[in-house]
Amino acid sequence: MSWEFEYHHVHDLLHSIHRDNKLFHLLKGTEHEAKSIMADILVSHTLRGGNGFIRGGYSCVCAGELPMSQISQYLADPNALDQEYRAIGVIFDKHWFFTQGGRPVIYQPENEFDLLHDEMKHLHMLYDPHAEYDFSWIREWRVKADTLTLDLSNALAVFPNRSWKREVLAMARERANDPETVNAWETLALTDIGISVLEGD
């Protein structure tokens, strides 16, 4: 791949991220855990649900709706990394997520949980100005599911830098029965678009 082709390719991807309605699914955990989970996503084309901070224990696949500028500020903030989000994950189309059943969460006090219809209770998220945590800045979306298979025509695998990208892609190809399942991904290293984050070299 020539330098000129790679530059224009990255420029087109960045323009698409800024132009379109996108959601971010960032990974948590240690560096090793995040890399291993990302390798599994690249092989399976699937996001796994979880129930952390979800009242009622519903299993949901979650994503955040933040402009790239705010994502980059968050990931570059050493204090923000206490939240354990890593600069690695998947960006996908919000409209597609909506068709899969995804909806924005409902930020509300705990005593309003029972006011929700049973089919909407998985969307409850605590918001209380006096609470210890405030997650409203994430502008979270959820779909109630144990797993969600991605449509690679509107998904982008994101890495903090080229080093992580090479390592995780190699890990995924080793796990895949067919390396083409990994090669089918569009990928982006954040350092290639001028975003520097605290994830090593």
Side-chain angles (χ1 to χ4, degrees), residues 2-4 25 35 38 65-66 75 81 118 121-122 129 167-168 188:
S2 70
W3 181 90
E4 292 85 357
H25 179 86
K35 288 177 177 178
M38 188 64 185
E65 183 184 8
L66 283 176
L75 294 172
L81 289 179
D118 287 347
K121 286 186 174 179
H122 67 286
E167 180 181 349
V168 177
L188 175 68

Side-chain angles (χ1 to χ4, degrees), residues 83-94:
Q83 301 278 1
E84 294 188 343
Y85 282 107
R86 296 286 182 173
I88 185 171
V90 182
I91 299 173
F92 45 82
D93 184 73
K94 182 173 67 175

Side-chain angles (χ1 to χ4, degrees), residues 23-26 61-65 92 97 138-142:
L23 297 177
F24 290 76
H25 179 86
L26 297 179
V61 176
C62 305
E65 183 184 8
F92 45 82
F97 195 69
I138 299 175
R139 296 166 60 186
E140 184 178 352
W141 284 59
R142 292 176 185 164

